[in-house]
PDB file of all heavy atoms in Angstrom:
ATOM      1  N   PHE A1149      48.776 -51.258  13.246  1.00  0.00           N
ATOM      2  CA  PHE A1149      50.027 -51.973  13.424  1.00  0.00           C
ATOM      3  C   PHE A1149      51.254 -51.235  12.859  1.00  0.00           C
ATOM      4  O   PHE A1149      51.032 -50.496  11.863  1.00  0.00           O
ATOM      5  CB  PHE A1149      49.939 -53.364  12.679  1.00  0.00           C
ATOM      6  CG  PHE A1149      48.784 -54.336  13.186  1.00  0.00           C
ATOM      7  CD1 PHE A1149      47.525 -54.326  12.519  1.00  0.00           C
ATOM      8  CD2 PHE A1149      49.048 -55.049  14.312  1.00  0.00           C
ATOM      9  CE1 PHE A1149      46.517 -55.157  12.947  1.00  0.00           C
ATOM     10  CE2 PHE A1149      47.999 -55.922  14.762  1.00  0.00           C
ATOM     11  CZ  PHE A1149      46.766 -55.898  14.089  1.00  0.00           C
ATOM     12  N   THR A1150      52.302 -51.350  13.541  1.00  0.00           N
ATOM     13  CA  THR A1150      53.524 -50.715  13.080  1.00  0.00           C
ATOM     14  C   THR A1150      54.033 -51.383  11.811  1.00  0.00           C
ATOM     15  O   THR A1150      53.622 -52.544  11.519  1.00  0.00           O
ATOM     16  CB  THR A1150      54.616 -50.689  14.153  1.00  0.00           C
ATOM     17  OG1 THR A1150      55.007 -52.112  14.408  1.00  0.00           O
ATOM     18  CG2 THR A1150      54.183 -50.084  15.413  1.00  0.00           C
ATOM     19  N   LEU A1151      54.949 -50.746  11.138  1.00  0.00           N
ATOM     20  CA  LEU A1151      55.533 -51.365   9.990  1.00  0.00           C
ATOM     21  C   LEU A1151      56.197 -52.667  10.259  1.00  0.00           C
ATOM     22  O   LEU A1151      56.021 -53.711   9.551  1.00  0.00           O
ATOM     23  CB  LEU A1151      56.550 -50.455   9.356  1.00  0.00           C
ATOM     24  CG  LEU A1151      57.310 -50.940   8.051  1.00  0.00           C
ATOM     25  CD1 LEU A1151      56.264 -51.218   6.987  1.00  0.00           C
ATOM     26  CD2 LEU A1151      58.334 -49.855   7.626  1.00  0.00           C
ATOM     27  N   HIS A1152      56.891 -52.794  11.393  1.00  0.00           N
ATOM     28  CA  HIS A1152      57.590 -54.097  11.851  1.00  0.00           C
ATOM     29  C   HIS A1152      56.512 -55.151  12.128  1.00  0.00           C
ATOM     30  O   HIS A1152      56.718 -56.250  11.721  1.00  0.00           O
ATOM     31  CB  HIS A1152      58.372 -53.776  13.110  1.00  0.00           C
ATOM     32  CG  HIS A1152      58.974 -55.026  13.690  1.00  0.00           C
ATOM     33  ND1 HIS A1152      60.061 -55.650  13.170  1.00  0.00           N
ATOM     34  CD2 HIS A1152      58.568 -55.749  14.797  1.00  0.00           C
ATOM     35  CE1 HIS A1152      60.337 -56.726  13.839  1.00  0.00           C
ATOM     36  NE2 HIS A1152      59.475 -56.803  14.853  1.00  0.00           N
ATOM     37  N   GLN A1153      55.408 -54.733  12.756  1.00  0.00           N
ATOM     38  CA  GLN A1153      54.378 -55.700  13.105  1.00  0.00           C
ATOM     39  C   GLN A1153      53.692 -56.243  11.714  1.00  0.00           C
ATOM     40  O   GLN A1153      53.387 -57.394  11.611  1.00  0.00           O
ATOM     41  CB  GLN A1153      53.309 -55.111  13.967  1.00  0.00           C
ATOM     42  CG  GLN A1153      53.764 -54.848  15.383  1.00  0.00           C
ATOM     43  CD  GLN A1153      52.662 -54.130  16.216  1.00  0.00           C
ATOM     44  OE1 GLN A1153      52.099 -53.168  15.673  1.00  0.00           O
ATOM     45  NE2 GLN A1153      52.542 -54.551  17.423  1.00  0.00           N
ATOM     46  N   LYS A1154      53.526 -55.320  10.782  1.00  0.00           N
ATOM     47  CA  LYS A1154      52.951 -55.706   9.522  1.00  0.00           C
ATOM     48  C   LYS A1154      53.827 -56.686   8.762  1.00  0.00           C
ATOM     49  O   LYS A1154      53.338 -57.702   8.288  1.00  0.00           O
ATOM     50  CB  LYS A1154      52.664 -54.454   8.696  1.00  0.00           C
ATOM     51  CG  LYS A1154      51.510 -53.562   9.095  1.00  0.00           C
ATOM     52  CD  LYS A1154      51.452 -52.452   8.173  1.00  0.00           C
ATOM     53  CE  LYS A1154      50.316 -51.466   8.566  1.00  0.00           C
ATOM     54  NZ  LYS A1154      50.120 -50.310   7.714  1.00  0.00           N
ATOM     55  N   ARG A1155      55.055 -56.475   8.859  1.00  0.00           N
ATOM     56  CA  ARG A1155      56.025 -57.395   8.165  1.00  0.00           C
ATOM     57  C   ARG A1155      56.066 -58.757   8.820  1.00  0.00           C
ATOM     58  O   ARG A1155      56.151 -59.790   8.224  1.00  0.00           O
ATOM     59  CB  ARG A1155      57.432 -56.748   8.112  1.00  0.00           C
ATOM     60  CG  ARG A1155      57.522 -55.571   7.216  1.00  0.00           C
ATOM     61  CD  ARG A1155      58.897 -54.936   7.201  1.00  0.00           C
ATOM     62  NE  ARG A1155      58.983 -53.862   6.221  1.00  0.00           N
ATOM     63  CZ  ARG A1155      59.975 -53.001   6.153  1.00  0.00           C
ATOM     64  NH1 ARG A1155      61.055 -53.107   7.051  1.00  0.00           N
ATOM     65  NH2 ARG A1155      60.092 -52.085   5.231  1.00  0.00           N
ATOM     66  N   TRP A1156      55.937 -58.706  10.165  1.00  0.00           N
ATOM     67  CA  TRP A1156      55.939 -59.960  10.932  1.00  0.00           C
ATOM     68  C   TRP A1156      54.691 -60.816  10.552  1.00  0.00           C
ATOM     69  O   TRP A1156      54.772 -61.986  10.336  1.00  0.00           O
ATOM     70  CB  TRP A1156      56.041 -59.677  12.379  1.00  0.00           C
ATOM     71  CG  TRP A1156      55.664 -60.912  13.244  1.00  0.00           C
ATOM     72  CD1 TRP A1156      54.571 -61.118  13.952  1.00  0.00           C
ATOM     73  CD2 TRP A1156      56.433 -62.103  13.463  1.00  0.00           C
ATOM     74  NE1 TRP A1156      54.580 -62.277  14.634  1.00  0.00           N
ATOM     75  CE2 TRP A1156      55.686 -62.937  14.278  1.00  0.00           C
ATOM     76  CE3 TRP A1156      57.629 -62.576  12.932  1.00  0.00           C
ATOM     77  CZ2 TRP A1156      56.182 -64.245  14.597  1.00  0.00           C
ATOM     78  CZ3 TRP A1156      58.069 -63.821  13.276  1.00  0.00           C
ATOM     79  CH2 TRP A1156      57.367 -64.675  14.132  1.00  0.00           C
ATOM     80  N   ILE A1157      53.561 -60.156  10.566  1.00  0.00           N
ATOM     81  CA  ILE A1157      52.328 -60.857  10.239  1.00  0.00           C
ATOM     82  C   ILE A1157      52.310 -61.281   8.819  1.00  0.00           C
ATOM     83  O   ILE A1157      51.868 -62.433   8.470  1.00  0.00           O
ATOM     84  CB  ILE A1157      51.097 -59.895  10.531  1.00  0.00           C
ATOM     85  CG1 ILE A1157      51.024 -59.562  11.954  1.00  0.00           C
ATOM     86  CG2 ILE A1157      49.818 -60.516   9.998  1.00  0.00           C
ATOM     87  CD1 ILE A1157      50.000 -58.427  12.297  1.00  0.00           C
ATOM     88  N   LEU A1158      52.835 -60.412   7.870  1.00  0.00           N
ATOM     89  CA  LEU A1158      52.916 -60.865   6.454  1.00  0.00           C
ATOM     90  C   LEU A1158      53.827 -62.136   6.304  1.00  0.00           C
ATOM     91  O   LEU A1158      53.451 -63.041   5.613  1.00  0.00           O
ATOM     92  CB  LEU A1158      53.493 -59.662   5.663  1.00  0.00           C
ATOM     93  CG  LEU A1158      53.730 -60.064   4.167  1.00  0.00           C
ATOM     94  CD1 LEU A1158      52.478 -60.323   3.423  1.00  0.00           C
ATOM     95  CD2 LEU A1158      54.395 -58.750   3.559  1.00  0.00           C
ATOM     96  N   SER A1159      54.956 -62.109   6.956  1.00  0.00           N
ATOM     97  CA  SER A1159      55.825 -63.319   6.821  1.00  0.00           C
ATOM     98  C   SER A1159      55.153 -64.484   7.482  1.00  0.00           C
ATOM     99  O   SER A1159      55.276 -65.639   6.990  1.00  0.00           O
ATOM    100  CB  SER A1159      57.158 -63.020   7.546  1.00  0.00           C
ATOM    101  OG  SER A1159      56.963 -62.837   8.967  1.00  0.00           O
ATOM    102  N   HIS A1160      54.363 -64.333   8.550  1.00  0.00           N
ATOM    103  CA  HIS A1160      53.751 -65.457   9.196  1.00  0.00           C
ATOM    104  C   HIS A1160      52.665 -66.131   8.304  1.00  0.00           C
ATOM    105  O   HIS A1160      52.732 -67.347   8.126  1.00  0.00           O
ATOM    106  CB  HIS A1160      53.109 -64.936  10.422  1.00  0.00           C
ATOM    107  CG  HIS A1160      52.875 -66.030  11.512  1.00  0.00           C
ATOM    108  ND1 HIS A1160      53.540 -66.026  12.714  1.00  0.00           N
ATOM    109  CD2 HIS A1160      52.119 -67.150  11.559  1.00  0.00           C
ATOM    110  CE1 HIS A1160      53.190 -67.097  13.466  1.00  0.00           C
ATOM    111  NE2 HIS A1160      52.350 -67.715  12.793  1.00  0.00           N
ATOM    112  N   VAL A1161      51.731 -65.295   7.736  1.00  0.00           N
ATOM    113  CA  VAL A1161      50.741 -65.877   6.859  1.00  0.00           C
ATOM    114  C   VAL A1161      51.360 -66.405   5.548  1.00  0.00           C
ATOM    115  O   VAL A1161      50.816 -67.292   4.919  1.00  0.00           O
ATOM    116  CB  VAL A1161      49.662 -64.861   6.572  1.00  0.00           C
ATOM    117  CG1 VAL A1161      48.950 -64.424   7.944  1.00  0.00           C
ATOM    118  CG2 VAL A1161      50.177 -63.644   5.850  1.00  0.00           C
ATOM    119  N   SER A1162      52.522 -65.790   5.089  1.00  0.00           N
ATOM    120  CA  SER A1162      53.155 -66.297   3.917  1.00  0.00           C
ATOM    121  C   SER A1162      53.671 -67.730   4.128  1.00  0.00           C
ATOM    122  O   SER A1162      53.650 -68.489   3.187  1.00  0.00           O
ATOM    123  CB  SER A1162      54.272 -65.350   3.521  1.00  0.00           C
ATOM    124  OG  SER A1162      53.778 -64.084   3.263  1.00  0.00           O
ATOM    125  N   PHE A1163      54.230 -67.953   5.276  1.00  0.00           N
ATOM    126  CA  PHE A1163      54.844 -69.274   5.531  1.00  0.00           C
ATOM    127  C   PHE A1163      53.661 -70.316   5.724  1.00  0.00           C
ATOM    128  O   PHE A1163      53.872 -71.536   5.424  1.00  0.00           O
ATOM    129  CB  PHE A1163      55.746 -69.232   6.855  1.00  0.00           C
ATOM    130  CG  PHE A1163      57.067 -68.829   6.502  1.00  0.00           C
ATOM    131  CD1 PHE A1163      57.510 -67.513   6.794  1.00  0.00           C
ATOM    132  CD2 PHE A1163      57.998 -69.687   5.875  1.00  0.00           C
ATOM    133  CE1 PHE A1163      58.773 -67.130   6.440  1.00  0.00           C
ATOM    134  CE2 PHE A1163      59.269 -69.341   5.547  1.00  0.00           C
ATOM    135  CZ  PHE A1163      59.582 -68.043   5.834  1.00  0.00           C
ATOM    136  N   VAL A1164      52.461 -69.887   6.169  1.00  0.00           N
ATOM    137  CA  VAL A1164      51.315 -70.779   6.167  1.00  0.00           C
ATOM    138  C   VAL A1164      50.929 -71.127   4.705  1.00  0.00           C
ATOM    139  O   VAL A1164      50.698 -72.261   4.389  1.00  0.00           O
ATOM    140  CB  VAL A1164      50.094 -70.149   6.888  1.00  0.00           C
ATOM    141  CG1 VAL A1164      48.925 -71.099   6.747  1.00  0.00           C
ATOM    142  CG2 VAL A1164      50.476 -69.994   8.308  1.00  0.00           C
ATOM    143  N   GLY A1165      51.013 -70.170   3.893  1.00  0.00           N
ATOM    144  CA  GLY A1165      50.747 -70.307   2.382  1.00  0.00           C
ATOM    145  C   GLY A1165      51.817 -71.271   1.803  1.00  0.00           C
ATOM    146  O   GLY A1165      51.594 -72.091   0.939  1.00  0.00           O
ATOM    147  N   LEU A1166      53.112 -71.075   2.258  1.00  0.00           N
ATOM    148  CA  LEU A1166      54.154 -71.971   1.843  1.00  0.00           C
ATOM    149  C   LEU A1166      53.922 -73.430   2.193  1.00  0.00           C
ATOM    150  O   LEU A1166      54.084 -74.268   1.295  1.00  0.00           O
ATOM    151  CB  LEU A1166      55.501 -71.529   2.508  1.00  0.00           C
ATOM    152  CG  LEU A1166      56.785 -72.348   2.255  1.00  0.00           C
ATOM    153  CD1 LEU A1166      57.148 -72.377   0.832  1.00  0.00           C
ATOM    154  CD2 LEU A1166      57.910 -71.898   3.182  1.00  0.00           C
ATOM    155  N   LEU A1167      53.388 -73.661   3.358  1.00  0.00           N
ATOM    156  CA  LEU A1167      52.981 -75.024   3.841  1.00  0.00           C
ATOM    157  C   LEU A1167      51.921 -75.573   2.913  1.00  0.00           C
ATOM    158  O   LEU A1167      51.952 -76.729   2.443  1.00  0.00           O
ATOM    159  CB  LEU A1167      52.559 -75.011   5.241  1.00  0.00           C
ATOM    160  CG  LEU A1167      51.918 -76.316   5.737  1.00  0.00           C
ATOM    161  CD1 LEU A1167      52.813 -77.515   5.613  1.00  0.00           C
ATOM    162  CD2 LEU A1167      51.453 -76.184   7.187  1.00  0.00           C
ATOM    163  N   ALA A1168      50.852 -74.782   2.589  1.00  0.00           N
ATOM    164  CA  ALA A1168      49.789 -75.234   1.704  1.00  0.00           C
ATOM    165  C   ALA A1168      50.374 -75.583   0.276  1.00  0.00           C
ATOM    166  O   ALA A1168      49.916 -76.599  -0.266  1.00  0.00           O
ATOM    167  CB  ALA A1168      48.690 -74.203   1.582  1.00  0.00           C
ATOM    168  N   MET A1169      51.356 -74.802  -0.222  1.00  0.00           N
ATOM    169  CA  MET A1169      51.871 -75.103  -1.467  1.00  0.00           C
ATOM    170  C   MET A1169      52.661 -76.390  -1.448  1.00  0.00           C
ATOM    171  O   MET A1169      52.672 -77.234  -2.419  1.00  0.00           O
ATOM    172  CB  MET A1169      52.757 -73.986  -1.992  1.00  0.00           C
ATOM    173  CG  MET A1169      53.099 -74.028  -3.354  1.00  0.00           C
ATOM    174  SD  MET A1169      51.761 -73.899  -4.594  1.00  0.00           S
ATOM    175  CE  MET A1169      51.355 -72.142  -4.350  1.00  0.00           C
ATOM    176  N   PHE A1170      53.395 -76.571  -0.368  1.00  0.00           N
ATOM    177  CA  PHE A1170      54.156 -77.901  -0.196  1.00  0.00           C
ATOM    178  C   PHE A1170      53.204 -79.022  -0.230  1.00  0.00           C
ATOM    179  O   PHE A1170      53.410 -80.069  -0.925  1.00  0.00           O
ATOM    180  CB  PHE A1170      54.850 -77.875   1.090  1.00  0.00           C
ATOM    181  CG  PHE A1170      56.336 -77.623   0.903  1.00  0.00           C
ATOM    182  CD1 PHE A1170      56.934 -76.407   0.876  1.00  0.00           C
ATOM    183  CD2 PHE A1170      57.256 -78.727   0.848  1.00  0.00           C
ATOM    184  CE1 PHE A1170      58.322 -76.208   0.710  1.00  0.00           C
ATOM    185  CE2 PHE A1170      58.585 -78.613   0.676  1.00  0.00           C
ATOM    186  CZ  PHE A1170      59.132 -77.293   0.638  1.00  0.00           C
ATOM    187  N   VAL A1171      52.024 -78.929   0.506  1.00  0.00           N
ATOM    188  CA  VAL A1171      51.086 -80.081   0.478  1.00  0.00           C
ATOM    189  C   VAL A1171      50.653 -80.402  -0.829  1.00  0.00           C
ATOM    190  O   VAL A1171      50.504 -81.561  -1.227  1.00  0.00           O
ATOM    191  CB  VAL A1171      49.852 -79.653   1.432  1.00  0.00           C
ATOM    192  CG1 VAL A1171      48.800 -80.672   1.368  1.00  0.00           C
ATOM    193  CG2 VAL A1171      50.314 -79.555   2.870  1.00  0.00           C
ATOM    194  N   GLN A1172      50.285 -79.449  -1.669  1.00  0.00           N
ATOM    195  CA  GLN A1172      49.708 -79.642  -2.997  1.00  0.00           C
ATOM    196  C   GLN A1172      50.839 -80.157  -3.961  1.00  0.00           C
ATOM    197  O   GLN A1172      50.551 -81.198  -4.653  1.00  0.00           O
ATOM    198  CB  GLN A1172      49.121 -78.443  -3.500  1.00  0.00           C
ATOM    199  CG  GLN A1172      48.449 -78.638  -4.879  1.00  0.00           C
ATOM    200  CD  GLN A1172      47.481 -77.539  -5.302  1.00  0.00           C
ATOM    201  OE1 GLN A1172      46.838 -76.918  -4.405  1.00  0.00           O
ATOM    202  NE2 GLN A1172      47.292 -77.321  -6.616  1.00  0.00           N
TER     203      GLN A1172
END
Side-chain angles (χ1 to χ4, degrees):
F1149 298 98
T1150 66
L1151 180 61
H1152 175 74
Q1153 289 172 321
K1154 288 181 180 181
R1155 288 176 176 173
W1156 165 252
I1157 295 170
L1158 175 60
S1159 64
H1160 205 113
V1161 299
S1162 297
F1163 277 100
V1164 177
L1166 173 65
L1167 170 59
M1169 191 65 70
F1170 254 86
V1171 173
Q1172 181 163 332

